[in-house]
PDB file of all heavy atoms in Angstrom:
ATOM      1  N   ALA A 157     131.825  71.989 162.956  1.00 97.00           N
ATOM      2  CA  ALA A 157     130.347  71.923 163.003  1.00 97.00           C
ATOM      3  C   ALA A 157     129.734  73.160 162.372  1.00 97.00           C
ATOM      4  O   ALA A 157     130.347  74.238 162.364  1.00 97.00           O
ATOM      5  CB  ALA A 157     129.862  71.754 164.462  1.00 97.00           C
ATOM      6  N   TRP A 158     128.601  72.959 161.780  1.00 98.00           N
ATOM      7  CA  TRP A 158     127.873  74.127 161.271  1.00 98.00           C
ATOM      8  C   TRP A 158     126.340  73.779 161.278  1.00 98.00           C
ATOM      9  O   TRP A 158     125.946  72.633 161.276  1.00 98.00           O
ATOM     10  CB  TRP A 158     128.313  74.486 159.822  1.00 98.00           C
ATOM     11  CG  TRP A 158     127.874  73.515 158.762  1.00 98.00           C
ATOM     12  CD1 TRP A 158     126.794  73.632 157.947  1.00 98.00           C
ATOM     13  CD2 TRP A 158     128.513  72.247 158.358  1.00 98.00           C
ATOM     14  NE1 TRP A 158     126.720  72.576 157.058  1.00 98.00           N
ATOM     15  CE2 TRP A 158     127.740  71.740 157.277  1.00 98.00           C
ATOM     16  CE3 TRP A 158     129.610  71.594 158.796  1.00 98.00           C
ATOM     17  CZ2 TRP A 158     128.115  70.555 156.698  1.00 98.00           C
ATOM     18  CZ3 TRP A 158     129.984  70.383 158.195  1.00 98.00           C
ATOM     19  CH2 TRP A 158     129.225  69.863 157.139  1.00 98.00           C
ATOM     20  N   ASP A 159     125.570  74.897 161.369  1.00 97.00           N
ATOM     21  CA  ASP A 159     124.094  74.738 161.333  1.00 97.00           C
ATOM     22  C   ASP A 159     123.684  74.930 159.882  1.00 97.00           C
ATOM     23  O   ASP A 159     123.500  76.067 159.416  1.00 97.00           O
ATOM     24  CB  ASP A 159     123.486  75.746 162.255  1.00 97.00           C
ATOM     25  CG  ASP A 159     123.778  75.475 163.728  1.00 97.00           C
ATOM     26  OD1 ASP A 159     123.623  74.335 164.123  1.00 97.00           O
ATOM     27  OD2 ASP A 159     124.171  76.427 164.455  1.00 97.00           O
ATOM     28  N   ASP A 160     123.501  73.772 159.215  1.00 97.00           N
ATOM     29  CA  ASP A 160     123.104  73.862 157.816  1.00 97.00           C
ATOM     30  C   ASP A 160     121.631  74.332 157.738  1.00 97.00           C
ATOM     31  O   ASP A 160     120.788  73.873 158.475  1.00 97.00           O
ATOM     32  CB  ASP A 160     123.217  72.480 157.179  1.00 97.00           C
ATOM     33  CG  ASP A 160     123.179  72.502 155.682  1.00 97.00           C
ATOM     34  OD1 ASP A 160     122.108  72.607 155.132  1.00 97.00           O
ATOM     35  OD2 ASP A 160     124.299  72.537 155.085  1.00 97.00           O
ATOM     36  N   ILE A 161     121.380  75.327 156.886  1.00 97.00           N
ATOM     37  CA  ILE A 161     120.061  75.917 156.774  1.00 97.00           C
ATOM     38  C   ILE A 161     119.023  74.863 156.357  1.00 97.00           C
ATOM     39  O   ILE A 161     117.847  74.947 156.758  1.00 97.00           O
ATOM     40  CB  ILE A 161     120.084  77.102 155.789  1.00 97.00           C
ATOM     41  CG1 ILE A 161     121.044  78.161 156.336  1.00 97.00           C
ATOM     42  CG2 ILE A 161     118.713  77.684 155.613  1.00 97.00           C
ATOM     43  CD1 ILE A 161     121.309  79.333 155.342  1.00 97.00           C
ATOM     44  N   VAL A 162     119.448  73.889 155.611  1.00 97.00           N
ATOM     45  CA  VAL A 162     118.527  72.901 155.122  1.00 97.00           C
ATOM     46  C   VAL A 162     118.533  71.632 155.988  1.00 97.00           C
ATOM     47  O   VAL A 162     117.528  71.100 156.360  1.00 97.00           O
ATOM     48  CB  VAL A 162     118.843  72.522 153.674  1.00 97.00           C
ATOM     49  CG1 VAL A 162     117.898  71.366 153.155  1.00 97.00           C
ATOM     50  CG2 VAL A 162     118.677  73.753 152.748  1.00 97.00           C
ATOM     51  N   LYS A 163     119.756  71.146 156.256  1.00 96.00           N
ATOM     52  CA  LYS A 163     119.916  69.850 156.907  1.00 96.00           C
ATOM     53  C   LYS A 163     119.992  69.950 158.462  1.00 96.00           C
ATOM     54  O   LYS A 163     119.989  68.882 159.129  1.00 96.00           O
ATOM     55  CB  LYS A 163     121.123  69.153 156.360  1.00 96.00           C
ATOM     56  CG  LYS A 163     120.992  68.826 154.888  1.00 96.00           C
ATOM     57  CD  LYS A 163     122.189  67.997 154.380  1.00 96.00           C
ATOM     58  CE  LYS A 163     121.952  67.517 152.968  1.00 96.00           C
ATOM     59  NZ  LYS A 163     120.797  66.592 152.857  1.00 96.00           N
ATOM     60  N   GLY A 164     120.142  71.152 159.003  1.00 96.00           N
ATOM     61  CA  GLY A 164     120.263  71.257 160.455  1.00 96.00           C
ATOM     62  C   GLY A 164     121.696  71.122 160.904  1.00 96.00           C
ATOM     63  O   GLY A 164     122.643  71.217 160.166  1.00 96.00           O
ATOM     64  N   ARG A 165     121.945  70.832 162.167  1.00 97.00           N
ATOM     65  CA  ARG A 165     123.242  70.709 162.769  1.00 97.00           C
ATOM     66  C   ARG A 165     124.043  69.525 162.210  1.00 97.00           C
ATOM     67  O   ARG A 165     123.528  68.425 162.188  1.00 97.00           O
ATOM     68  CB  ARG A 165     123.122  70.597 164.268  1.00 97.00           C
ATOM     69  CG  ARG A 165     124.470  70.597 165.019  1.00 97.00           C
ATOM     70  CD  ARG A 165     125.048  71.987 165.103  1.00 97.00           C
ATOM     71  NE  ARG A 165     126.267  72.046 165.970  1.00 97.00           N
ATOM     72  CZ  ARG A 165     126.931  73.188 166.115  1.00 97.00           C
ATOM     73  NH1 ARG A 165     126.561  74.267 165.464  1.00 97.00           N
ATOM     74  NH2 ARG A 165     127.961  73.215 166.897  1.00 97.00           N
ATOM     75  N   ILE A 166     125.195  69.847 161.698  1.00 97.00           N
ATOM     76  CA  ILE A 166     126.145  68.802 161.225  1.00 97.00           C
ATOM     77  C   ILE A 166     127.448  68.955 161.913  1.00 97.00           C
ATOM     78  O   ILE A 166     127.979  70.116 161.995  1.00 97.00           O
ATOM     79  CB  ILE A 166     126.302  68.886 159.693  1.00 97.00           C
ATOM     80  CG1 ILE A 166     124.987  68.707 158.982  1.00 97.00           C
ATOM     81  CG2 ILE A 166     127.304  67.825 159.189  1.00 97.00           C
ATOM     82  CD1 ILE A 166     125.058  68.841 157.425  1.00 97.00           C
ATOM     83  N   GLU A 167     128.005  67.893 162.430  1.00 97.00           N
ATOM     84  CA  GLU A 167     129.215  67.976 163.168  1.00 97.00           C
ATOM     85  C   GLU A 167     130.116  66.782 162.745  1.00 97.00           C
ATOM     86  O   GLU A 167     129.678  65.646 162.721  1.00 97.00           O
ATOM     87  CB  GLU A 167     128.982  67.874 164.707  1.00 97.00           C
ATOM     88  CG  GLU A 167     130.194  68.098 165.539  1.00 97.00           C
ATOM     89  CD  GLU A 167     129.850  68.371 167.014  1.00 97.00           C
ATOM     90  OE1 GLU A 167     128.761  68.912 167.245  1.00 97.00           O
ATOM     91  OE2 GLU A 167     130.656  68.030 167.847  1.00 97.00           O
ATOM     92  N   ILE A 168     131.367  67.048 162.378  1.00 96.00           N
ATOM     93  CA  ILE A 168     132.313  66.044 161.922  1.00 96.00           C
ATOM     94  C   ILE A 168     133.568  66.147 162.785  1.00 96.00           C
ATOM     95  O   ILE A 168     134.149  67.239 162.945  1.00 96.00           O
ATOM     96  CB  ILE A 168     132.724  66.279 160.483  1.00 96.00           C
ATOM     97  CG1 ILE A 168     131.450  66.407 159.575  1.00 96.00           C
ATOM     98  CG2 ILE A 168     133.640  65.179 159.991  1.00 96.00           C
ATOM     99  CD1 ILE A 168     130.701  65.106 159.442  1.00 96.00           C
TER     100      ILE A 168
END
Side-chain angles (χ1 to χ4, degrees):
W158 73 97
D159 292 312
D160 196 277
I161 298 171
V162 176
K163 295 183 172 297
R165 184 74 172 177
I166 298 177
E167 187 167 329
I168 307 292

